[in-house]
Amino acid sequence: DVGNQVRRIGEQAEVEFDYSVEALRLMQYTAVGFGPDDLRLSATHLVKAITDDEFQPQLFASANVSLFDESFTSLYRIATVGGRRVGITSVLASDHQQKVASTDILMKPPEVGLREIWPKLEQQNCDVHILLAYASLEESRRLARAFPQFDIVVTAGGADEPNPNLELVSETDSVMIQTGSKGMYAFVIGVFDDSDQRFLAQRVPLDARFADAPQTVELFQRYQTQLEQMGLEGLGLLNSAGKGTRHPSGATFLGATNCRECHSAEFDVWSAGVQGQDAVGPHAHATRSLRHPIGRTTIGRLHDPECLSCHVTGWNAQEFFPYDSGFVGERESPLLVANGCENCHGPASLHV
């Protein structure tokens, strides 16, 4: 995995990172890199999450990123697959390093880190060498040319929909695959003794053909339970008075029923859906779908800010926090249940 288990900072991101690492261990991942958003979490929290009880590093390996000092991070990891030794390391591109402000995170240019660790990795007598590059496509290609000893480069660059085929990096014998976004695909790589075609790859969509593993379902349930126990206050989303962030307009949210008097036709469409197209009014029932999810697991997500932000009224949908008059609970703010008019049109108090 090339990294970036989380996409933001804060209490929920730290909890999410912990459960993601536990899931990677359950799935028997061998090597994981660091993404820039991972490194925006506190270095102390990261060390705790990626080391064992004796503070020995697990899973994560990087040629150019370390926490406090190199003792908390592996430079590379070795796996034995099908009787072959596979050496794996990762790098974080220099432009992504600029997003990391912590002085506890030690970083080097990718080329410097790879030059330093290659002699050590070479001594491991691996049959295949893999570089995980959290970098753009062009930067990943450049690294592949600079270090052609890596047979396979896995890049975080590219489009959301990853290239289904292996790319042969020009001027090298190395191949490169893209990961895409949101973990929608896994790649299977076949390694052959045929010198004319050493590698083949298959892009596998992680769709409904694959049932959710019971261990993962149980992990997700524990994650949601912890979010519920922490509450919005414990997650740092409400102040001591139980209020969220003031809306930039200074207005407050009132709920869709306050729009009904002047906009009855629109309210009816919103609440019941367009006949023949959407007879269930998905926006009006958005919160219900968190309480009773359809498909996948039936685990409720009613206390998950990353879900609430789009399924209730009065939240910042991009940053996952409530405004001071936004939804905080079904009992506390019943008029703000569902994805209401004000999420697109703005808080209504001044208008009403």
Side-chain angles (χ1 to χ4, degrees):
D1 189 288
V2 295
N4 240 36
Q5 309 305 323
V6 294
R7 299 284 178 174
R8 59 195 183 96
I9 59 175
E11 298 288 342
Q12 182 174 4
E14 291 188 347
V15 174
E16 189 171 6
F17 185 85
D18 292 346
Y19 281 101
S20 297
V21 172
E22 188 173 348
L24 290 168
R25 288 195 182 108
L26 278 173
M27 292 186 282
Q28 300 179 18
Y29 270 65
T30 297
V32 182
F34 291 109
D37 295 316
D38 298 331
L39 298 173
R40 293 172 65 208
L41 303 177
S42 77
T44 302
H45 189 91
L46 288 171
V47 166
K48 182 180 176 182
I50 70 172
T51 57
D52 61 19
D53 293 338
E54 298 179 353
F55 288 103
Q56 295 302 307
Q58 301 181 88
L59 288 180
F60 287 76
S62 177
N64 70 328
V65 174
S66 55
L67 311 176
F68 296 112
D69 61 62
E70 290 184 355
S71 65
F72 294 118
T73 314
S74 298
L75 296 175
Y76 56 82
R77 299 191 69 83
I78 306 297
T80 301
V81 185
R84 297 171 189 264
R85 283 175 64 80
V86 182
I88 312 160
T89 190
S90 73
V91 290
L92 180 68
S94 297
D95 58 336
H96 287 297
Q97 293 181 21
Q98 297 171 10
K99 303 174 186 177
V100 183
S102 173
T103 56
D104 296 325
I105 309 295
L106 308 179
M107 296 176 287
K108 306 172 183 177
E111 299 89 338
V112 173
L114 289 171
R115 276 198 301 269
E116 289 178 356
I117 77 150
W118 173 250
K120 301 174 184 177
L121 184 54
E122 187 177 27
Q123 291 175 5
Q124 297 297 317
N125 296 317
C126 295
D127 302 294
V128 179
H129 296 98
I130 299 176
L131 174 62
L132 308 175
Y134 204 99
S136 67
L137 282 177
E138 204 46 56
E139 174 74 354
S140 299
R141 293 181 184 117
R142 191 182 67 77
L143 288 171
R145 295 187 189 103
F147 298 91
Q149 54 267 53
F150 286 98
D151 305 287
I152 301 167
V153 177
V154 184
T155 177
D160 287 348
E161 187 81 4
N163 188 331
N165 304 310
L166 290 172
E167 172 189 337
L168 180 61
V169 181
S170 62
E171 305 171 29
T172 75
D173 292 326
S174 305
V175 296
M176 187 168 74
I177 63 172
Q178 304 172 22
T179 62
S181 70
K182 299 184 179 179
M184 294 188 291
Y185 296 92
F187 279 82
V188 179
I189 300 179
V191 182
F192 300 89
D193 292 327
D194 186 344
S195 58
D196 293 329
Q197 186 162 26
R198 291 185 62 204
F199 305 107
L200 289 175
Q202 182 179 6
R203 185 183 69 177
V204 182
L206 299 178
D207 54 25
R209 291 176 294 169
F210 301 97
D212 290 327
Q215 304 96 316
T216 309
V217 172
E218 189 271 336
L219 197 66
F220 186 62
Q221 178 65 77
R222 283 201 283 123
Y223 170 61
Q224 292 298 326
T225 299
Q226 183 169 345
L227 294 180
E228 179 179 2
Q229 292 170 343
M230 294 178 72
L232 298 182
E233 297 87 349
L235 291 169
L237 299 179
L238 300 179
N239 60 25
S240 58
K243 296 287 187 180
T245 302
R246 182 176 174 82
H247 194 273
S249 69
T252 56
F253 291 87
L254 303 177
T257 54
N258 284 280
C259 306
R260 186 174 192 173
E261 183 177 347
C262 296
H263 304 285
S264 58
E266 291 83 354
F267 181 88
D268 289 343
V269 170
W270 171 81
S271 60
V274 178
Q275 191 64 36
Q277 297 180 33
D278 195 354
V280 294
H283 285 86
H285 299 299
T287 309
R288 186 175 69 182
S289 67
L290 293 185
R291 195 187 315 110
H292 303 293
I294 300 173
R296 300 300 296 260
T297 70
T298 58
I299 297 169
R301 297 144 168 88
L302 198 54
H303 304 278
D304 188 335
E306 292 184 347
C307 301
L308 288 171
S309 61
C310 287
H311 286 254
V312 297
T313 301
W315 279 56
N316 183 301
Q318 283 73 43
E319 300 295 329
F320 314 115
F321 65 81
Y323 290 110
D324 60 2
S325 56
F327 176 94
V328 293
E330 290 184 299
R331 294 179 181 176
E332 298 86 348
S333 42
L335 295 179
L336 300 175
V337 168
N339 188 326
C341 314
E342 295 163 287
N343 280 349
C344 288
H345 295 280
S349 62
L350 300 179
H351 176 66
V352 170

mmCIF file of all heavy atoms in Angstrom, residues 235-256:
data_model
loop_
_atom_site.group_PDB
_atom_site.id
_atom_site.type_symbol
_atom_site.label_atom_id
_atom_site.label_comp_id
_atom_site.label_asym_id
_atom_site.label_seq_id
_atom_site.Cartn_x
_atom_site.Cartn_y
_atom_site.Cartn_z
ATOM 1 N N LEU A 235 -14.611 14.254 19.944
ATOM 2 C CA LEU A 235 -13.922 14.339 18.658
ATOM 3 C C LEU A 235 -13.460 15.762 18.345
ATOM 4 O O LEU A 235 -12.911 16.030 17.269
ATOM 5 C CB LEU A 235 -14.845 13.833 17.539
ATOM 6 C CG LEU A 235 -15.134 12.326 17.569
ATOM 7 C CD1 LEU A 235 -16.259 11.967 16.605
ATOM 8 C CD2 LEU A 235 -13.873 11.524 17.230
ATOM 9 N N GLY A 236 -13.705 16.678 19.292
ATOM 10 C CA GLY A 236 -13.221 18.044 19.139
ATOM 11 C C GLY A 236 -14.016 18.882 18.171
ATOM 12 O O GLY A 236 -13.515 19.894 17.658
ATOM 13 N N LEU A 237 -15.286 18.513 17.920
ATOM 14 C CA LEU A 237 -16.095 19.222 16.924
ATOM 15 C C LEU A 237 -17.067 20.219 17.547
ATOM 16 O O LEU A 237 -17.676 21.010 16.828
ATOM 17 C CB LEU A 237 -16.871 18.216 16.071
ATOM 18 C CG LEU A 237 -16.001 17.235 15.276
ATOM 19 C CD1 LEU A 237 -16.869 16.268 14.492
ATOM 20 C CD2 LEU A 237 -15.053 17.980 14.341
ATOM 21 N N LEU A 238 -17.236 20.174 18.869
ATOM 22 C CA LEU A 238 -18.095 21.124 19.569
ATOM 23 C C LEU A 238 -17.281 21.795 20.668
ATOM 24 O O LEU A 238 -16.390 21.180 21.263
ATOM 25 C CB LEU A 238 -19.311 20.426 20.192
ATOM 26 C CG LEU A 238 -20.267 19.687 19.242
ATOM 27 C CD1 LEU A 238 -21.389 19.032 20.032
ATOM 28 C CD2 LEU A 238 -20.833 20.622 18.182
ATOM 29 N N ASN A 239 -17.607 23.056 20.966
ATOM 30 C CA ASN A 239 -16.905 23.748 22.047
ATOM 31 C C ASN A 239 -17.522 23.399 23.393
ATOM 32 O O ASN A 239 -18.430 22.567 23.483
ATOM 33 C CB ASN A 239 -16.908 25.266 21.804
ATOM 34 C CG ASN A 239 -18.333 25.841 21.742
ATOM 35 O OD1 ASN A 239 -19.273 25.280 22.306
ATOM 36 N ND2 ASN A 239 -18.467 26.960 21.049
ATOM 37 N N SER A 240 -17.047 24.035 24.442
ATOM 38 C CA SER A 240 -17.524 23.707 25.788
ATOM 39 C C SER A 240 -19.002 24.013 25.976
ATOM 40 O O SER A 240 -19.651 23.448 26.861
ATOM 41 C CB SER A 240 -16.701 24.477 26.831
ATOM 42 O OG SER A 240 -16.784 25.883 26.594
ATOM 43 N N ALA A 241 -19.547 24.877 25.134
ATOM 44 C CA ALA A 241 -20.978 25.195 25.206
ATOM 45 C C ALA A 241 -21.806 24.276 24.320
ATOM 46 O O ALA A 241 -23.021 24.458 24.191
ATOM 47 C CB ALA A 241 -21.210 26.651 24.803
ATOM 48 N N GLY A 242 -21.170 23.269 23.720
ATOM 49 C CA GLY A 242 -21.891 22.336 22.862
ATOM 50 C C GLY A 242 -22.221 22.898 21.500
ATOM 51 O O GLY A 242 -23.145 22.416 20.831
ATOM 52 N N LYS A 243 -21.481 23.921 21.061
ATOM 53 C CA LYS A 243 -21.746 24.562 19.777
ATOM 54 C C LYS A 243 -20.623 24.256 18.796
ATOM 55 O O LYS A 243 -19.466 24.080 19.168
ATOM 56 C CB LYS A 243 -21.853 26.082 19.947
ATOM 57 C CG LYS A 243 -23.021 26.531 20.810
ATOM 58 C CD LYS A 243 -24.347 26.367 20.102
ATOM 59 C CE LYS A 243 -25.481 26.975 20.900
ATOM 60 N NZ LYS A 243 -26.796 26.822 20.201
ATOM 61 N N GLY A 244 -21.006 24.237 17.517
ATOM 62 C CA GLY A 244 -20.022 24.053 16.472
ATOM 63 C C GLY A 244 -19.434 25.379 16.028
ATOM 64 O O GLY A 244 -19.506 26.387 16.736
ATOM 65 N N THR A 245 -18.871 25.399 14.825
ATOM 66 C CA THR A 245 -18.215 26.585 14.276
ATOM 67 C C THR A 245 -19.252 27.556 13.708
ATOM 68 O O THR A 245 -20.213 27.138 13.050
ATOM 69 C CB THR A 245 -17.239 26.164 13.161
ATOM 70 O OG1 THR A 245 -16.293 25.240 13.699
ATOM 71 C CG2 THR A 245 -16.514 27.371 12.578
ATOM 72 N N ARG A 246 -19.057 28.840 13.951
ATOM 73 C CA ARG A 246 -19.980 29.851 13.429
ATOM 74 C C ARG A 246 -19.940 29.848 11.909
ATOM 75 O O ARG A 246 -18.874 29.799 11.292
ATOM 76 C CB ARG A 246 -19.607 31.231 13.965
ATOM 77 C CG ARG A 246 -20.534 32.369 13.520
ATOM 78 C CD ARG A 246 -20.121 33.661 14.198
ATOM 79 N NE ARG A 246 -20.887 34.794 13.704
ATOM 80 C CZ ARG A 246 -22.103 35.135 14.124
ATOM 81 N NH1 ARG A 246 -22.686 34.405 15.066
ATOM 82 N NH2 ARG A 246 -22.724 36.183 13.620
ATOM 83 N N HIS A 247 -21.125 29.910 11.264
ATOM 84 C CA HIS A 247 -21.180 29.946 9.807
ATOM 85 C C HIS A 247 -20.660 31.292 9.298
ATOM 86 O O HIS A 247 -20.921 32.338 9.918
ATOM 87 C CB HIS A 247 -22.623 29.727 9.326
ATOM 88 C CG HIS A 247 -22.725 29.430 7.872
ATOM 89 N ND1 HIS A 247 -22.807 30.412 6.901
ATOM 90 C CD2 HIS A 247 -22.724 28.241 7.186
ATOM 91 C CE1 HIS A 247 -22.869 29.860 5.707
ATOM 92 N NE2 HIS A 247 -22.820 28.548 5.848
ATOM 93 N N PRO A 248 -19.905 31.315 8.202
ATOM 94 C CA PRO A 248 -19.331 32.578 7.707
ATOM 95 C C PRO A 248 -20.361 33.668 7.456
ATOM 96 O O PRO A 248 -20.049 34.853 7.566
ATOM 97 C CB PRO A 248 -18.639 32.155 6.399
ATOM 98 C CG PRO A 248 -18.345 30.703 6.576
ATOM 99 C CD PRO A 248 -19.457 30.151 7.414
ATOM 100 N N SER A 249 -21.587 33.285 7.119
ATOM 101 C CA SER A 249 -22.625 34.277 6.837
ATOM 102 C C SER A 249 -23.197 34.910 8.091
ATOM 103 O O SER A 249 -23.870 35.945 8.027
ATOM 104 C CB SER A 249 -23.765 33.619 6.050
ATOM 105 O OG SER A 249 -24.469 32.699 6.891
ATOM 106 N N GLY A 250 -22.965 34.288 9.230
ATOM 107 C CA GLY A 250 -23.573 34.763 10.470
ATOM 108 C C GLY A 250 -24.996 34.273 10.665
ATOM 109 O O GLY A 250 -25.585 34.472 11.728
ATOM 110 N N ALA A 251 -25.557 33.633 9.647
ATOM 111 C CA ALA A 251 -26.928 33.115 9.737
ATOM 112 C C ALA A 251 -26.927 31.747 10.418
ATOM 113 O O ALA A 251 -25.882 31.117 10.588
ATOM 114 C CB ALA A 251 -27.540 33.023 8.344
ATOM 115 N N THR A 252 -28.123 31.306 10.792
ATOM 116 C CA THR A 252 -28.263 30.006 11.446
ATOM 117 C C THR A 252 -29.192 29.109 10.639
ATOM 118 O O THR A 252 -30.002 29.581 9.828
ATOM 119 C CB THR A 252 -28.816 30.157 12.873
ATOM 120 O OG1 THR A 252 -30.062 30.879 12.825
ATOM 121 C CG2 THR A 252 -27.833 30.915 13.754
ATOM 122 N N PHE A 253 -29.073 27.802 10.893
ATOM 123 C CA PHE A 253 -29.880 26.803 10.188
ATOM 124 C C PHE A 253 -31.193 26.585 10.926
ATOM 125 O O PHE A 253 -31.230 26.525 12.157
ATOM 126 C CB PHE A 253 -29.105 25.485 10.090
ATOM 127 C CG PHE A 253 -27.916 25.558 9.184
ATOM 128 C CD1 PHE A 253 -26.683 25.977 9.657
ATOM 129 C CD2 PHE A 253 -28.029 25.214 7.837
ATOM 130 C CE1 PHE A 253 -25.583 26.052 8.818
ATOM 131 C CE2 PHE A 253 -26.936 25.290 6.996
ATOM 132 C CZ PHE A 253 -25.709 25.716 7.483
ATOM 133 N N LEU A 254 -32.281 26.439 10.150
ATOM 134 C CA LEU A 254 -33.616 26.299 10.733
ATOM 135 C C LEU A 254 -34.276 24.965 10.407
ATOM 136 O O LEU A 254 -35.165 24.534 11.131
ATOM 137 C CB LEU A 254 -34.529 27.429 10.236
ATOM 138 C CG LEU A 254 -34.048 28.860 10.510
ATOM 139 C CD1 LEU A 254 -35.028 29.856 9.902
ATOM 140 C CD2 LEU A 254 -33.887 29.103 11.999
ATOM 141 N N GLY A 255 -33.909 24.341 9.312
ATOM 142 C CA GLY A 255 -34.545 23.094 8.905
ATOM 143 C C GLY A 255 -35.516 23.286 7.756
ATOM 144 O O GLY A 255 -36.091 24.375 7.565
ATOM 145 N N ALA A 256 -35.731 22.230 6.983
ATOM 146 C CA ALA A 256 -36.526 22.322 5.745
ATOM 147 C C ALA A 256 -37.982 22.687 5.984
ATOM 148 O O ALA A 256 -38.624 23.300 5.127
ATOM 149 C CB ALA A 256 -36.444 20.995 4.987
#
